[in-house]
């Protein structure tokens, strides 16, 4: 019997032309931070240190890992691997790094130990999700980053279903919500470059560095009639503005 169980729902696959295919998305219970995991390790996992001590040590370890990654080292913990990566095209051997043309970020992948845990995971498909709108993928055009980094003042490609911005409600539009302060920053209507049900292309606002949730609010509906009230599609991953 599997030790772990993950519930998932099926969503229309808007990235293919096939009319009746679906993708599965994990029905996430909650996003856990370092404090949550340390508490679980102390209460369930039999850790021989307190949750507070573990949280402090992990934060110190991660800070040092980030420092070393920024010095060009790769990291392999067995559970995950991380390394700095440079994106962008250099047109000649003499060309220097240009932050307006190139980008540096981190490539993080699962390691062997984490992959082995999958052998004890049971997936339960609970059916087709009853959703009116969904964001399935976010791609930063400048860096090519998918569902991760976003570049202020550059194009962002948002894929999904029923995303077209329509209706006169003030709250309609594309929003970035700061994960710490909950400040809401709206994309200017003139910065919505492409406005289709399955894809929006917008210019990312001049965001301060930090973590952001992405929301699309619209009254769009299939057919010619708008919804009476706006609906919100919230992306299930937090995005990072550098």
């Amino acid at each position: 019997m599997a030790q772990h169980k993950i519930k998932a729902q099926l969503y229309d696959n808007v990235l293919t032309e096939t009319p009746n295919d679906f993708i599965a998305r994990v029905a996430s219970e909650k996003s856990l931070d370092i404090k949550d995991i340390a508490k679980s390790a102390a209460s369930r996992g039999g850790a021989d240190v307190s949750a507070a001590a573990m949280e402090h040590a992990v934060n110190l370890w991660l800070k040092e890992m980030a420092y070393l990654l920024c010095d060009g080292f790769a990291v392999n913990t067995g559970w995950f691997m991380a390394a700095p990566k440079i994106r962008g095209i250099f047109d000649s051997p003499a060309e220097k790094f240009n932050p307006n043309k190139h980008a540096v970020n981190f490539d993080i992948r699962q390691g062997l130990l984490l992959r082995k845990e999958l052998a004890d995971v049971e997936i339960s498909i609970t059916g087709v999700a009853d959703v009116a709108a969904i964001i399935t993928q976010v791609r930063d055009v400048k860096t090519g980053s998918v569902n991760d980094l976003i570049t202020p003042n550059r194009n962002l490609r948002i894929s999904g279903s029923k995303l077209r911005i329509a209706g006169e409600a003030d709250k309609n539009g594309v929003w970035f919500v700061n994960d710490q302060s909950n400040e809401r920053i709206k994309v200017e209507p003139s910065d919505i470059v492409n406005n289709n049900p399955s894809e929006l292309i917008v210019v990312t606002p001049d965001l301060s560095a930090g973590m952001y949730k992405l929301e699309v609010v619209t009254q769009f509906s299939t057919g010619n009639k708008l919804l009476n009230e706006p609906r919100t599609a919230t992306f299930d991953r937090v995005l990072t503005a550098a």
Side-chain angles (χ1 to χ4, degrees), residues 134-223:
I134 186 172
I135 302 169
T136 56
Q137 186 183 95
V138 176
R139 177 182 290 272
D140 185 71
V141 175
K142 179 180 184 294
T143 64
S145 177
V146 176
N147 302 338
D148 186 9
L149 303 177
I150 53 177
T151 306
N153 304 308
R154 294 300 184 97
N155 283 355
L156 190 70
R157 189 185 303 271
I158 305 167
S159 302
S161 178
K162 301 179 182 178
L163 297 179
R164 177 184 289 162
I165 306 301
E168 300 299 324
D170 291 340
K171 64 176 67 175
N172 289 342
V174 180
W175 297 83
F176 291 88
V177 185
N178 188 287
D179 199 42
Q180 295 294 320
S181 67
N182 288 321
E183 178 188 6
R184 300 176 61 83
I185 301 99
K186 187 177 184 180
V187 173
E188 294 290 336
S190 60
D191 285 337
I192 299 177
V193 182
N194 192 21
N195 188 18
N196 291 321
S198 62
E199 181 183 79
L200 302 174
I201 298 178
V202 305
V203 178
T204 302
D206 188 19
L207 303 174
S208 301
M211 311 291 283
Y212 291 86
K213 296 174 184 175
L214 174 66
E215 295 181 359
V216 173
V217 184
T218 180
Q219 290 170 266
F220 174 76
S221 180
T222 54

